[in-house]
Amino acid sequence: MLKFLRENFKITNDCIILATPMVIFFISIQWFIQTFQNILSLPANNIAFYLTLWIWISGCFAGWFYMTKKTLQFSKKTFLYDTDRSTALTKLFLCLFKGVGKFFVSFLIMVAVCFCFKLLKYGLLLSLFKLPYKLDISQVSIISIAIVLIFWYFFIYWIPEIVYNYTNAFKAMINSVKMTILSFKNTFPLYIFMVLIGILLRIIIFMAEDNPFTYFLLIILTYYYLLYFILIIFRDYERNYVTKN
């Protein structure tokens, strides 16, 4: 596992081109939410807001994750001429648009399923407050985090299964659960390690909020961590379920 983690640093640096659309995506979502959240008093505005957000996130996911697959393939190639490399880089950015055309519906369904899961999670947490014995906020928060981590573990291969096998969202979801169960011995330690690193990074960011420069550097590190984590998932999927096939 350690060798795989070390190799992924080099792969992440080779695929750093993915960071640009990823950062633009996050910034655009944050801008959209901050700009329009103040006009959500009317029901019609609420519907338009969430519908637009759903479509935008689905489109960005479809394009960016397809670009991730192609960038990993690109990183394995050797180019004799700079012109060939430049042409390949241009094609990578075009994959953003091709990915939307290929996988938009699948990610539209996926985002909707995740939203439904979020509603179910909130319903479960609210029901906990109605139990005979009272739970405090910290206990409920821990339960909430545990539910999310378990959910994403079993669906860790959901996105690669869609992108690599052109599988519809529901079938890919079922396949993801089967794959994580079959590869539990290898996948679970990798997942737990990356989650612990993410929690540690979150704590450090919280402690550094009063220092603008340090906070800025940590935000950049967070983007790098997200890219590193996603590439780990894609590469782990490739070595277990693409190379073998």
Side-chain angles (χ1 to χ4, degrees), residues 96-108:
L96 286 169
F97 304 99
K98 290 181 180 179
V100 175
K102 291 175 182 290
F103 304 108
F104 177 71
V105 175
S106 293
F107 279 97
L108 203 66

Side-chain angles (χ1 to χ4, degrees), residues 2-54:
L2 292 176
K3 181 182 178 182
F4 187 67
L5 291 170
R6 286 196 303 269
E7 289 175 348
N8 204 62
F9 278 109
K10 181 182 182 301
I11 299 296
T12 303
N13 293 333
D14 291 340
C15 298
I16 203 66
I17 189 176
L18 288 167
T20 301
M22 180 179 69
V23 172
I24 293 173
F25 165 60
F26 280 115
I27 291 175
S28 64
I29 290 296
Q30 186 177 17
W31 170 84
F32 180 80
I33 293 173
Q34 290 178 349
T35 302
F36 294 101
Q37 64 182 355
N38 296 325
I39 62 170
L40 298 182
S41 55
L42 297 176
N45 289 342
N46 270 285
I47 294 173
F49 174 82
Y50 287 109
L51 185 62
T52 304
L53 196 61
W54 177 32

Side-chain angles (χ1 to χ4, degrees), residues 15-32 56 60-61 64-65 67-68 93 96 216-228 230:
C15 298
I16 203 66
I17 189 176
L18 288 167
T20 301
M22 180 179 69
V23 172
I24 293 173
F25 165 60
F26 280 115
I27 291 175
S28 64
I29 290 296
Q30 186 177 17
W31 170 84
F32 180 80
W56 177 243
C60 288
F61 277 6
W64 191 79
F65 284 118
M67 182 180 175
T68 300
F93 280 108
L96 286 169
F216 174 74
L217 292 179
L218 288 171
I219 291 298
I220 294 176
L221 183 60
T222 301
Y223 283 123
Y224 186 87
Y225 163 79
L226 287 174
L227 181 58
Y228 180 88
I230 290 168

Side-chain angles (χ1 to χ4, degrees), residues 106-194:
S106 293
F107 279 97
L108 203 66
I109 296 171
M110 178 185 174
V111 173
V113 170
C114 292
F115 180 73
C116 291
F117 164 76
K118 194 171 184 178
L119 291 178
L120 289 172
K121 185 193 74 171
Y122 283 139
L124 175 62
L125 295 177
L126 287 174
S127 66
L128 293 177
F129 286 107
K130 298 179 182 179
L131 293 174
Y133 53 89
K134 297 296 181 181
L135 295 175
D136 57 35
I137 297 298
S138 61
Q139 290 173 319
V140 174
S141 298
I142 292 173
I143 294 173
S144 176
I145 293 170
I147 291 172
V148 171
L149 292 179
I150 292 171
F151 174 86
W152 282 117
Y153 171 70
F154 282 105
F155 298 116
I156 195 171
Y157 291 137
W158 193 0
I159 293 173
E161 179 68 8
I162 292 173
V163 174
Y164 281 88
N165 282 342
Y166 293 80
T167 313
N168 70 69
F170 293 114
K171 185 176 179 181
M173 181 173 62
I174 295 170
N175 290 344
S176 176
V177 176
K178 292 179 181 178
M179 290 172 180
T180 49
I181 293 174
L182 291 173
S183 61
F184 179 84
K185 183 179 179 181
N186 295 323
T187 306
F188 187 72
L190 191 66
Y191 179 73
I192 292 299
F193 177 79
M194 293 305 301

